[in-house]
Amino acid sequence: MIAPPVQPAPRVRLIFSALMLVILLASLDQTIVATALPTIVGELGGLQHLSWVVTAYLLASTITGPLYGKFGDLYGRKKTLQVAIVIFLIGSILCGIAQNMPELIAFRAIQGLGAGGLITTTIAVVGDIIPPRDRGRYQGVFGAVFGVSTIIGPLLGGFFVDNLSWRWIFYVNLPVAAVAFVVIGAVFHTQTERVEHKIDYLGAALLAGGLSAVVLFTSLGGTTFAWGSAESVVLITLGVVLLVAFAFAERRATEPILPLDLFRNRIFTVCAGIGFIIGFALFGSVTYLPVFLQIVKGRSPTSSGLQLTPMMAGLLVTSIISGRLISKYGRYKPFPVAGTAVMTVGMVLLSRLGIHSSSLYTSLSMLVLGLGLGAVMQVLVLAVQNAVDYRNMGVATSGSLLFRQVGGSIGIAIFGAIFANRLSSNLAASLPPGVHPPTTVSPTVIRNLPPAMHEGYVHAVAAALHPVFVVAATVSALSFFLTWFLREVPLRDSTRPLDGEEFTGAASAEGAPAGAPAP
């Protein structure tokens, strides 16, 4: 495989600016919809299908990530990224003109098909144009973009709903994506030689089916279906069977979509495990911070969004600083070790939140969590990219991100079940006999409850959130334990092996096959 030509420095900066816009699009759309969902349901109806507006997007983006990674390796990152942007734009336009809930769910799935390639391919492009030794500071900026978008997403969603229309949540993607598409098309040059490849369609189908079944199990279990129901058992059994079949299919595939050789690389395997746990703890627990702030502390949606800024600030600081230090000293292992330790402390602090917790304590807890996350999230991707040869750059990147996203979807489902079950039992114990509590956590409804019922409900919500953060802290501690198994290898000073030279760095050191000589 011919590696892309070296890009001049000014062109690299321009490409990177466009890539930042792409990352902003993909990460913003994961959170911007949240504050608008009640309004969307009020206009389109279909309250029983509310969760599918999120699930359809998550499912589509999760199962297509590895596909984009492979297509990027086979046909070039530039074309793959542009195709992903176009699909994302089409999905955004369709979501904005949706007239009913089934249409919106279907169009969100189309949007997710494009979103699955935005993050995966963008990070792989950085691997094409930036040597590993300098890549840390660039990916540190990506981490900052993730942090900012996570916080401003709900704020922007609320702004559009209050001042324009919920449809602008999707229309706002159009100009940003168009600029990114044009810049990437104009200044990013990759190899143009046509190479015949065999696509692993069977592996793609088995992986998509297996992940779909697992995500459906985690999103529907405990809500639409009981965890032990026949439907839940069928879903998880189907998921396991298809994923096992996928592993066997990959052994026979000429060009596997997710090469099993990657799992013989200890760095990839450890980073995938850490990423899964971080996704599980982070997305599963932080989802409930706005619930605490709005229900227990009585904050407005806008105020609760603003109070999450300490976490953004912490993530921003350590993401940039860690990236610069990695580029300067060429070492990355200390950062995930320290980051997971600090993240665990942050989760422990959050587990102690209660009705009487001060705003200062809440903000400091979020700051500590953000400081830990910023030091580890993007470093894992850097370690994986440095540990594999160039031909597997895309699939290795998408594989590591895949584990984090699947961990997040499973975490959301499990923590949701914990919260719902504890809230139900707490309400039964704290409210007077014969009083029927509301079946919602809407801040407006809770605020208008009679004083006695309001106090009992607030106490019940606070108590139900406590085990969520306790479990998150326990899982975070497991990621800290795993980081000690992460082997550090020297960061390469180029994006690929020299012509005629085999890659003999991390991949071969870990037992995975070394890259073939460049043709």
Side-chain angles (χ1 to χ4, degrees):
M1 180 175 180
I2 299 176
V6 177
Q7 311 282 336
R11 183 165 289 167
V12 166
R13 289 193 290 269
L14 190 57
I15 295 172
F16 188 75
S17 299
L19 296 180
M20 286 180 62
L21 293 179
V22 174
I23 287 289
L24 180 64
L25 279 175
S27 55
L28 196 61
D29 238 65
Q30 294 177 350
T31 58
I32 196 173
V33 176
T35 51
L37 282 177
T39 303
I40 293 174
V41 172
E43 180 175 330
L44 300 182
L47 178 61
Q48 67 276 21
H49 303 305
L50 175 65
S51 63
W52 281 96
V53 178
V54 179
T55 302
Y57 181 89
L58 174 66
L59 183 61
S61 61
T62 298
I63 64 179
T64 53
L67 284 171
Y68 280 106
K70 189 60 178 178
F71 284 132
D73 282 342
L74 296 179
Y75 300 116
R77 240 74 81 179
K78 178 179 177 177
K79 289 182 179 179
T80 303
L81 183 56
Q82 287 184 310
V83 168
I85 292 174
V86 170
I87 296 174
F88 184 81
L89 279 175
I90 293 173
S92 297
I93 294 171
L94 293 174
C95 286
I97 63 176
Q99 299 301 309
N100 53 59
M101 188 60 77
E103 284 186 4
L104 180 61
I105 292 171
F107 298 153
R108 279 285 282 174
I110 294 175
Q111 193 184 29
L113 291 176
L118 296 183
I119 296 177
T120 295
T121 312
T122 294
I123 296 180
V125 168
V126 174
D128 287 340
I129 64 176
I130 307 294
R133 183 64 183 260
D134 298 325
R135 204 174 295 159
R137 65 174 180 267
Y138 286 92
Q139 292 187 342
V141 176
F142 276 168
V145 172
F146 271 109
V148 171
S149 63
T150 299
I151 305 303
I152 68 173
L155 293 176
L156 282 178
F159 172 81
F160 286 130
V161 169
D162 291 337
N163 297 280
L164 295 171
S165 164
W166 63 265
R167 298 180 186 275
W168 279 94
I169 290 174
F170 304 108
Y171 294 150
V172 74
N173 294 328
L174 306 186
V176 179
V179 170
F181 182 92
V182 171
V183 172
I184 291 170
V187 302
F188 181 37
H189 302 307
T190 58
Q191 59 98 0
T192 56
E193 180 179 335
R194 175 68 180 177
V195 180
E196 293 298 325
H197 292 288
K198 185 174 182 180
I199 303 298
D200 179 22
Y201 290 110
L202 175 60
L206 291 172
L207 179 62
L211 289 178
S212 297
V214 172
V215 172
L216 286 173
F217 168 76
T218 56
S219 63
L220 299 180
T223 54
T224 304
F225 307 128
W227 289 111
S229 67
E231 293 86 351
S232 294
V233 172
V234 168
L235 280 175
I236 191 59
T237 302
L238 180 64
V240 171
V241 169
L242 289 177
L243 291 177
V244 170
F246 166 74
F248 282 103
E250 294 304 270
R251 293 183 180 276
R252 301 172 61 89
T254 304
E255 296 186 24
I257 192 173
L258 186 61
L260 298 184
D261 287 342
L262 288 175
F263 294 95
R264 295 207 299 266
N265 183 322
R266 196 177 75 188
I267 292 178
F268 176 84
T269 303
V270 171
C271 286
I274 297 171
F276 179 90
I277 294 172
I278 287 177
F280 186 100
L282 172 64
F283 295 112
S285 61
V286 172
T287 300
Y288 294 94
L289 279 173
V291 174
F292 172 82
L293 293 171
Q294 294 182 35
I295 303 299
V296 179
K297 305 303 289 185
R299 306 286 185 183
S300 67
T302 301
S303 176
S304 66
L306 289 173
Q307 198 164 351
L308 291 174
T309 52
M311 184 173 68
M312 177 195 71
L315 193 150
L316 184 78
V317 169
T318 52
S319 181
I320 294 177
I321 291 178
S322 62
R324 290 187 176 276
L325 291 177
I326 290 171
S327 294
K328 181 177 181 179
Y329 296 107
R331 297 193 60 193
Y332 57 80
K333 181 174 179 176
F335 297 98
V337 172
T340 51
V342 175
M343 181 184 73
T344 302
V345 173
M347 289 294 187
V348 171
L349 293 174
L350 289 176
S351 71
R352 299 176 64 84
L353 288 175
I355 293 177
H356 303 296
S357 298
S358 66
S359 297
L360 177 60
Y361 178 86
T362 304
S363 298
L364 287 176
S365 301
M366 295 180 190
L367 175 63
V368 172
L369 177 61
L371 289 171
L373 290 170
V376 62
M377 290 181 68
Q378 298 306 309
V379 178
L380 295 178
V381 177
L382 170 63
V384 166
Q385 290 183 337
N386 187 63
V388 300
D389 58 336
Y390 181 81
R391 63 189 173 88
N392 284 330
M393 180 78 73
V395 291
T397 302
S398 64
S400 62
L401 295 174
L402 171 73
F403 279 96
R404 188 170 71 192
Q405 191 164 356
V406 171
S409 64
I410 294 175
I412 290 173
I414 292 179
F415 288 133
I418 293 173
F419 175 72
N421 292 333
R422 289 299 297 268
L423 180 60
S424 177
S425 60
N426 291 341
L427 287 174
S430 61
L431 295 179
V435 175
H436 299 288
T439 57
T440 181
V441 290
S442 168
T444 303
V445 173
I446 304 306
R447 224 173 359 248
N448 294 327
L449 290 174
M453 184 181 292
H454 177 270
E455 183 177 358
Y457 197 95
V458 167
H459 277 82
V461 170
L465 286 172
H466 174 71
V468 170
F469 293 115
V470 169
V471 173
T474 304
V475 174
S476 298
L478 181 58
S479 68
F480 171 71
F481 173 76
L482 279 180
T483 57
W484 291 97
F485 293 92
L486 179 61
R487 180 178 176 182
E488 184 167 48
V489 296
L491 292 175
R492 303 195 301 273
D493 290 319
S494 64
T495 58
R496 65 183 180 97
L498 298 175
D499 290 341
E501 177 185 357
E502 288 193 5
F503 175 71
T504 56
S508 56
E510 293 295 328

